[in-house]
Amino acid sequence: MNDLALLLTPEGHALLDEVRDTDPARELAVATRLRREHPAELVSAALGQARLRQRAAVKFGAEDAGRMFFTPNGVEQSTRASVAAHRARRLAGSGVASVADLCCGIGGDAIALARAGIRVLAVDRDPLTAAAARANAEALGLADLIEVREADVTDVDTAGFDAVFVDPARRGGRGRIFDPEAYSPPLSWAVAAALRAPRAALKIAPGIPHEAVPEQAEAEWISDGGDVKEAVLWFGTEPGAVRATLLPGPRTLLSRGLPDPGVRPPGRYLYEPDGAVIRAHLVAEVAEEVGGGLLDATIAYVTADALRPTPYATAYEITDHLPFNVKKLKALLRERGVGTLTVKKRGSAVEPEELRRKVKPQGPHAATVFLTRIAGAPAMLIGHPA
């Protein structure tokens, strides 16, 4: 709290601007110089905040991150701005004008909601976190739309709000928490709060079992740039619906309740579904789009004879498929002059770096090798992006 209070002074703001682009390797020299003119505590706080802002630029963009205030947990746990903006657009598009943002953290989602024109009550019980959220609303010119309250979310009356958003803490003293009932607050409490509101969105870990999704909820898995970021349980939308949303875009694939695809021999093309598609159990929808089947009943690689571009999977043209054998792979790569080797795997215990060391790729060409199973047997498929 003291560090943040120091940084919010005119001297603190000026010092943050001065250390904005400090190279971590030069921190000691910079700190030594600045302590001749500024209190040591302020210098340490400014350099620490500069480091956090540099890390946060990946999530928030350099412009916003350069004006915001972060805590270490806030950088780690906050929602990526593109994902928060997608969620805010969905809420605004459904007519939501006010949201109770429970477990608001440093305010990433509150910022996106406010920028979508939504009035926000942002609540967090941690004093430093709430103070950072308040400072961020001020720094980004959104204080008129964001009220920050330091309180336990279980004590907050959300009546009168059009929607509730809950982002329970999913990390503890020992790291990531996988049991939804061990979230803080527990998922069951968040669901009960959601059911009392006209609309609601609950941010949860993308690894949540499908059987843990309440029947009243719509489940959405979201990826950004191919990386799965989170899952969201929506209430007041389409109960039972399942979707995968890919950002940027957005592009959304809805479940059509298709049966599992059949297993078939390798075709000319292999499709690697986006991670959100896999988490949402929508590989069957991709297989139908491309006219393909599975290489193995337990692995999410789709194979087909024709190239049918789809935003929900990356296509590769396969030139060779053979049983797993390091010596044969090494000989084939040497014959093709492959020096740049991308290794992908599903259903294989072999580590990509270990394989690269063994085959020692050399040459001017590039290739991708898939380590997987074909009808239960370890196999290798070699190809390149289609």
Side-chain angles (χ1 to χ4, degrees), residues 184-205:
S184 179
L187 181 61
S188 57
W189 181 90
V191 169
L195 292 173
R196 291 193 296 269
R199 290 184 183 273
L202 311 183
K203 177 181 170 181
I204 54 175

Side-chain angles (χ1 to χ4, degrees), residues 38-172:
H38 303 279
E41 187 179 11
L42 176 58
V43 172
S44 295
L47 287 169
Q49 190 61 222
R51 284 196 303 271
L52 293 175
R53 286 177 167 183
Q54 289 169 5
R55 286 172 52 196
V58 175
K59 284 188 173 182
F60 291 91
E63 184 176 350
D64 278 355
R67 292 186 288 164
M68 292 172 67
F69 296 88
F70 299 96
T71 65
N73 284 341
V75 173
E76 185 70 28
Q77 298 181 23
S78 56
T79 304
R80 182 177 288 257
S82 55
V83 178
H86 162 71
R87 184 164 40 242
R89 284 192 298 268
R90 280 201 67 179
L91 287 166
S94 66
V96 167
S98 62
V99 170
D101 177 1
L102 308 180
C103 310
C104 69
I106 53 92
D109 281 281
I111 290 165
L113 291 165
R115 282 176 168 168
I118 297 172
R119 180 172 58 85
V120 185
L121 170 64
V123 183
D124 203 285
R125 68 181 179 184
D126 179 69
L128 176 57
T129 303
R134 190 174 294 110
N136 289 333
E138 291 279 357
L140 299 180
L142 299 168
D144 289 346
L145 283 170
I146 301 174
E147 174 195 346
V148 179
R149 185 181 301 174
E150 181 191 326
D152 190 313
V153 296
T154 61
D155 295 331
V156 176
D157 181 6
T158 60
F161 287 89
D162 295 336
V164 168
F165 172 65
V166 189
D167 180 6
R170 295 181 301 282
R171 287 183 180 272

Side-chain angles (χ1 to χ4, degrees), residues 266-349:
R268 182 176 177 181
Y269 296 95
L270 181 146
Y271 293 84
E272 182 182 28
D274 183 271
V277 170
I278 296 172
R279 294 281 194 175
H281 295 181
L282 300 181
V283 174
E285 279 71 10
V286 168
E288 184 179 72
E289 276 198 17
V290 302
L294 298 179
L295 290 171
D296 183 275
T298 63
I299 297 176
Y301 280 143
V302 175
T303 184
D305 297 319
L307 178 61
R308 297 182 185 176
T310 170
Y312 304 112
T314 303
Y316 295 83
E317 185 173 6
I318 300 302
T319 56
D320 305 88
H321 59 87
L322 57 158
F324 179 77
N325 185 296
V326 175
K327 289 184 178 180
K328 288 184 178 179
L329 177 62
K330 185 175 182 178
L332 187 149
L333 296 177
R334 185 185 299 116
E335 177 185 328
R336 305 274 171 84
V338 172
T340 303
L341 182 66
T342 300
V343 181
K344 293 176 171 286
K345 68 165 194 167
R346 284 199 185 131
S348 172

